[in-house]
Amino acid sequence: MIKYEDCVFTLQAGKLCYQMMIDKHSKLLHLHTGSEVKESTSHLLSFADRGFSANIEEEGRERTYSYDFLPCEVSERGLGDFRSSSILIEAEDGSITTDFRFESYSIKKGVIDIHPLPMAYGEDAETLEIKLKDEKLDCFLILYYCLIDNAIITARKLIAGSPLSVRKLSSLSLDFMYQDYEIMSFNGRHCYERQPLIQEVRENRITISSRRGTSSHQANPFIILAEKGTDEVHGNCFGVHLLWSGSFQIEAERNQFSSTRLIASAEDEFFTFELKKGETLTMPAALLTFSEQGYTSLSNDIAAFTRKHILRLPKEYRNYVLLNSWEACYMDFNGEKLIKLAKDAAELDTDLFVLDDGWFLGRNDDYTSLGDWQEDESKLGMSLSELSEKIRKTGMAFGLWVEPEMVNEESNLYKQHPDWALKTPGRKLVRSRYQLVLDLSRTEVAEYILETLKKLFRGKNLSYVKWDYNRSITDFYSATASRENQQSVGYRYMQNLYWILYELRKEFPSILFEGCSGGGGRFDMGMLCYTPQIWLSDNTDAIDRLDIQFGSSYGYPIAAFGSHVSTCPNHQNGRITPLYTRSTVAFMGSYGLEFTPATLTESEKAELKSEIAEYRKQAELIKKGNLYRLRKDENIAAWLIVSNDSKEALLSAVKLSTHGNDLDYCIRLRGLEKDVIYEVAGQHFHGSTLMNAGLKLHFENKEYSAFRLAIKALQ
Ligand code: GLA
């Protein structure tokens, strides 16, 4: 619901309320974000004559009105607001002051149209558009607020009436007048993504950012801003996601009067976008979510929202259980070996075979061939179409790995178009995994990639594509961009990437696209709009995965996690864990296998087959239920998935430390109905007993053992 009354906009999206007012100078002030309020909260604004605070000329001799402390919907530089700005523009005369004032507003049905930038979908969406104008610059700033269910999606667009250099245009900017806040960010590294870090928001600005041209393993464009003291079940907290997969920055700071500011922006501090008269720039959307009851309810709301309004599942979607060839054979295979792998996997009742890296022209190691997306018939011993047919005969659907944004110097593509790679003229190449990044900011390169992939995908009977991306962008320099457009190469790159993905999905609506960037280096809401599943991490060790899965679950639905059982000792860290444990951990996502079934003993095969059957039984609950992170410390990781009607649940736990004469562990469940009787391993308990007293976890006396229990309501 969007209401406008006495110069105050009140947006109520489910339990999330957002309020702004147009003040006496036509400036837009931010009044409130949080639980419902029924009237204007402008009584909370404070006006005071404060030392060193600046006052605009219209105020005459009055010294109590200053942007040094007023909560601004658009925070600008040059008018007395010394905090981080959400917009930075250099005018033709070199000045950087902006002064955007209210012009008009409109309310429309539907979502914001910012194609091909990622956007949510939803039939009942309504969007408020507020138009602001900077008189001197003759420039309009459009603020969009799209209400869908219990979330608000914001985006911003500039329309230039004179030439401008845009240095920053944030997607979301929030000022909180009171309360103390903490910010949770999700940092990591390759093979160890999204580890939560909580920092108090104080006077020194916190910046969470990626400058890698991707959202990255090291940071994530999702944060939780929470009132101090918030935990899994208590406290007001806000989720902010950028629907963006490139560089980004999220800034949080407190000012001298204890107000907190949060700004989320696509691109980093090196961004500049030149606009000529009449041109526009739209920055990506940001998703704002809210909970009054701590992190668990926030995460579950985000997960439900993502499933309903972000993920576009392919036509005839199936809950595939896949086998991926990567850890089974890396690049060492031929057609016969792959068919044998598929047959063995089919016997375990998997139903999708994914041919990973190594299938195209001369690709026997990672030094060559990226860019040449034609099958290597001499290696495969057959064409890709024949292989696909043969795999299908084993009863499996067929999927293929590609890494289309990259090129190796040793490739036909690079030989023909050396200038298609991003590189700085007059400097030596900067390689990573011995590859270069194609300049997708160029239309002809983007079009070439799209056409090449269309040709490749046609006639192969593909059910699945894994879209990989295995390096960061170092030198953002395009051979054809003008000097002034070099600093927007990263932005244009992303726009074209989304366009390619959109066009491919349109032509191949039945293909399930799984995103990947060395595992989870581009795990974000932007990619999830185009690839509803993402390989969570290159680390397949069950114990490390627990950290990665728990961390990722704060901001993303587990339905989107590519999650595989791999071999032991684990290829990334050498750890040995029981098969049941590996499988239990892989249950927290979209299940698959990543090894050679022939290496299993008969009893392991039987165990895995029954695990796959069990996963299929539980897949609906796992992918659509609510997740409760029950416990995670040096001894135990325990989690519970409960169906939306609370009638079914799956409790899982892994023992992380082993001792002689070990302790018993009891865990209290959550999310059940207190008066409903549940059946648990043949015994009956009220939900209240399970939630208030708990259940004992019966672990086998063995290192890293796991425990899993299905729970069902009797009525
Ligand atoms: C990346 C992916 C892996 C695999 C390899 C292939 O590292 O994350 O899963 O596809 O590339 O080169």
Side-chain angles (χ1 to χ4, degrees):
M1 189 214 36
I2 300 170
K3 203 169 85 184
Y4 179 69
E5 211 174 80
D6 296 335
C7 294
V8 174
F9 292 100
T10 306
L11 282 50
Q12 189 73 47
K15 57 196 168 194
L16 169 61
C17 181
Y18 192 104
Q19 200 175 62
M20 305 164 268
M21 70 175 274
I22 308 162
D23 79 357
K24 58 183 172 183
H25 297 300
S26 300
K27 295 298 276 188
L28 201 55
L29 300 183
H30 186 83
L31 290 182
H32 173 78
T33 324
S35 303
E36 183 183 22
V37 294
K38 292 248 188 264
E39 50 266 310
S40 164
T41 53
S42 58
H43 63 290
L44 295 174
L45 293 170
S46 75
F47 296 95
D49 180 1
R50 300 200 184 266
F52 286 81
S53 290
N55 318 110
I56 53 172
E57 193 176 334
E58 290 101 311
E59 285 288 309
R61 302 188 75 164
E62 179 58 48
R63 305 200 316 199
T64 58
Y65 179 98
S66 174
Y67 303 118
D68 205 8
F69 45 79
L70 283 170
C72 303
E73 188 63 21
V74 178
S75 41
E76 301 163 288
R77 209 170 148 71
L79 300 180
D81 184 347
F82 297 96
R83 295 164 282 176
S84 304
S85 307
S86 59
I87 187 163
L88 273 176
I89 293 177
E90 188 185 322
E92 246 189 324
D93 62 6
S95 63
I96 51 161
T97 297
T98 56
D99 189 358
F100 282 97
R101 305 210 183 192
F102 180 79
E103 274 271 312
S104 61
Y105 79 94
S106 62
I107 298 172
K108 294 181 179 147
K109 284 261 151 260
V111 297
I112 315 165
D113 181 10
I114 50 173
H115 177 79
L117 294 178
M119 187 60 204
Y121 58 95
E123 301 206 329
D124 298 328
E126 50 172 352
T127 298
L128 166 68
E129 274 186 43
I130 299 180
K131 193 174 190 184
L132 310 176
K133 185 173 187 190
D134 184 308
E135 280 294 343
K136 175 188 161 175
L137 299 178
D138 189 22
C139 171
F140 292 104
L141 173 61
I142 316 289
L143 311 179
Y144 297 98
Y145 302 85
C146 172
L147 281 62
I148 312 182
D149 273 352
N150 46 16
I152 297 180
I153 299 186
T154 58
R156 293 180 175 187
K157 175 162 108 181
L158 264 178
I159 307 169
S162 60
L164 303 172
S165 298
V166 185
R167 303 254 189 89
K168 186 179 186 187
L169 179 55
S170 303
S171 305
L172 173 116
S173 148
L174 292 177
D175 273 358
F176 296 87
M177 287 186 262
Y178 303 97
Q179 313 301 338
D180 294 329
Y181 287 93
E182 295 170 334
I183 189 163
M184 194 193 293
S185 59
F186 300 86
N187 309 93
R189 56 182 186 267
H190 178 226
C191 285
Y192 204 59
E193 299 90 337
R194 287 171 296 285
Q195 300 308 301
L197 168 73
I198 297 179
Q199 286 168 284
E200 200 179 335
V201 181
R202 295 298 307 254
E203 286 73 2
N204 296 323
R205 184 190 318 151
I206 295 170
T207 305
I208 297 144
S209 70
S210 162
R211 301 188 182 107
R212 294 172 174 265
T214 59
S215 48
S216 86
H217 302 87
Q218 291 73 13
N220 193 269
F222 165 65
I223 58 95
I224 298 176
L225 187 78
E227 283 182 18
K228 220 168 150 186
T230 295
D231 61 22
E232 286 284 355
V233 285
H234 308 100
N236 283 343
C237 51
F238 301 92
V240 173
H241 292 81
L242 281 166
L243 276 67
W244 183 244
S245 318
S247 300
F248 72 91
Q249 45 179 332
I250 298 177
E251 298 153 274
E253 71 187 302
R254 197 163 93 159
N255 77 353
Q256 53 186 331
F257 307 115
S258 295
S259 302
T260 297
R261 172 167 291 174
L262 182 86
I263 295 182
S265 329
E267 293 300 292
D268 59 25
E269 68 273 34
F270 307 117
F271 174 71
T272 306
F273 199 104
E274 300 295 329
L275 287 179
K276 296 199 191 79
K277 186 174 160 46
E279 287 183 342
T280 64
L281 169 66
T282 307
M283 292 308 270
L287 167 67
L288 176 67
T289 43
F290 170 61
S291 162
E292 298 159 332
Q293 288 156 352
Y295 305 135
T296 302
S297 90
L298 182 72
S299 303
N300 282 325
D301 282 357
I302 292 170
F305 182 89
T306 310
R307 289 191 302 260
K308 198 164 161 206
H309 300 292
I310 296 281
L311 306 183
R312 279 97 165 159
L313 294 176
K315 255 179 34 199
E316 300 133 32
Y317 173 72
R318 280 167 54 191
N319 274 321
Y320 287 116
V321 171
L322 63 81
L323 179 124
N324 178 295
S325 67
W326 183 240
E327 287 196 24
C329 39
Y330 296 101
M331 297 186 200
D332 179 17
F333 55 75
N334 58 30
E336 288 313 315
K337 187 168 169 183
L338 295 173
I339 292 161
K340 162 89 171 66
L341 194 60
K343 273 190 190 142
D344 291 349
E347 276 174 23
L348 296 173
D349 288 342
T350 62
D351 49 7
L352 168 66
F353 179 83
V354 179
L355 173 53
D356 209 284
D357 198 354
W359 57 266
F360 46 101
L361 276 189
R363 179 75 167 175
N364 294 313
D365 56 40
D366 55 15
Y367 291 96
T368 81
S369 307
L370 290 171
D372 295 344
W373 300 106
Q374 298 110 45
E375 67 259 52
D376 191 334
E377 278 205 53
S378 65
K379 175 170 180 176
L380 293 175
M382 59 192 84
S383 72
L384 209 48
S385 308
E386 278 173 84
L387 180 69
S388 165
E389 261 337 283
K390 288 191 175 161
I391 301 270
R392 285 200 176 260
K393 284 206 178 110
T394 67
M396 304 271 267
F398 182 58
L400 195 64
W401 176 97
V402 287
E403 194 183 353
E405 298 159 71
M406 298 290 165
V407 68
N408 283 118
E409 290 147 76
E410 274 175 57
S411 68
N412 296 328
L413 183 67
Y414 190 77
K415 275 173 207 136
Q416 282 159 20
H417 300 285
D419 64 314
W420 278 16
L422 293 168
K423 55 188 177 184
T424 310
R427 300 205 179 273
K428 296 212 162 48
L429 294 177
V430 186
R431 306 177 180 117
S432 178
R433 208 195 185 198
Y434 219 79
Q435 60 197 53
L436 303 175
V437 186
L438 286 171
D439 180 2
L440 262 69
S441 74
R442 286 170 65 173
T443 313
E444 68 274 32
V445 178
E447 279 170 353
Y448 172 85
I449 293 175
L450 177 63
E451 283 319 307
T452 307
L453 292 176
K454 279 185 176 175
K455 255 186 247 151
L456 172 65
F457 295 170
R458 282 178 196 141
K460 306 294 183 315
N461 216 342
L462 288 175
S463 302
Y464 166 106
V465 165
K466 179 173 169 188
W467 185 288
D468 211 341
Y469 181 96
N470 280 313
R471 65 164 286 181
S472 305
I473 302 181
T474 45
D475 29 358
F476 290 88
Y477 190 94
S478 170
T480 50
S482 60
R483 176 181 170 183
E484 48 289 355
N485 285 335
Q486 293 297 348
Q487 308 319 320
S488 57
V489 165
Y491 172 88
R492 294 173 206 273
Y493 179 110
M494 269 302 143
Q495 246 191 344
N496 280 340
L497 171 64
Y498 293 134
W499 170 74
I500 295 172
L501 287 165
Y502 173 83
E503 291 295 324
L504 284 173
R505 287 184 47 111
K506 203 164 71 180
E507 172 149 352
F508 305 99
S510 303
I511 292 183
L512 169 63
F513 285 88
E514 174 155 350
C516 177
S517 172
R522 213 160 52 178
F523 200 109
D524 54 63
M525 279 295 179
M527 280 316 271
L528 283 177
C529 285
Y530 291 104
T531 63
Q533 199 163 300
I534 300 181
W535 180 223
L536 193 71
S537 177
D538 267 352
N539 190 338
T540 57
D541 167 57
I543 306 306
D544 280 356
R545 271 272 173 160
L546 283 171
D547 290 340
I548 301 164
Q549 291 175 185
F550 267 62
S552 305
S553 75
Y554 282 90
Y556 300 97
I558 60 175
F561 299 2
S563 186
H564 300 172
V565 176
S566 66
T567 195
C568 266
N570 177 267
H571 288 190
Q572 287 77 44
N573 63 10
R575 192 178 343 239
I576 295 175
T577 45
L579 183 56
Y580 185 70
T581 303
R582 280 177 270 153
S583 176
T584 297
V585 174
F587 265 45
M588 197 176 174
S590 280
Y591 194 90
L593 307 181
E594 182 113 3
F595 64 89
T596 312
T599 58
L600 295 175
T601 63
E602 287 311 309
S603 83
E604 284 171 330
K605 278 186 197 160
E607 185 181 355
L608 197 51
K609 200 164 167 174
S610 99
E611 283 295 291
I612 290 171
E614 184 58 25
Y615 176 79
R616 287 195 199 287
K617 263 200 254 157
Q618 304 282 1
E620 187 78 4
L621 165 67
I622 292 170
K623 293 198 170 177
K624 297 195 178 146
N626 288 316
L627 173 76
Y628 295 84
R629 294 173 290 263
L630 299 181
R631 178 168 170 177
K632 181 101 188 10
D633 53 32
E634 66 281 12
N635 295 318
I636 297 284
W639 65 100
L640 180 76
I641 301 171
V642 182
S643 63
N644 291 308
D645 61 5
S646 302
K647 292 209 152 104
E648 266 185 277
L650 179 67
L651 171 65
S652 310
V654 175
K655 198 155 175 279
L656 301 172
S657 69
T658 312
H659 308 281
N661 197 15
D662 217 339
L663 305 178
D664 276 340
Y665 292 100
C666 162
I667 202 97
R668 290 186 186 139
L669 308 192
R670 289 164 51 200
L672 303 178
E673 288 289 338
K674 65 180 175 23
D675 296 325
V676 168
I677 299 176
Y678 291 90
E679 181 171 334
V680 186
Q683 286 183 287
H684 294 170
F685 298 101
H686 276 90
S688 53
T689 309
L690 297 171
M691 293 193 289
N692 301 334
L695 268 182
K696 244 160 86 174
L697 303 175
H698 293 285
F699 289 112
E700 241 186 294
N701 188 14
K702 143 160 125 179
E703 194 171 33
Y704 300 124
S705 57
F707 175 80
R708 225 171 50 221
L709 207 54
I711 296 165
K712 259 200 165 51
L714 283 187
Q715 298 94 330

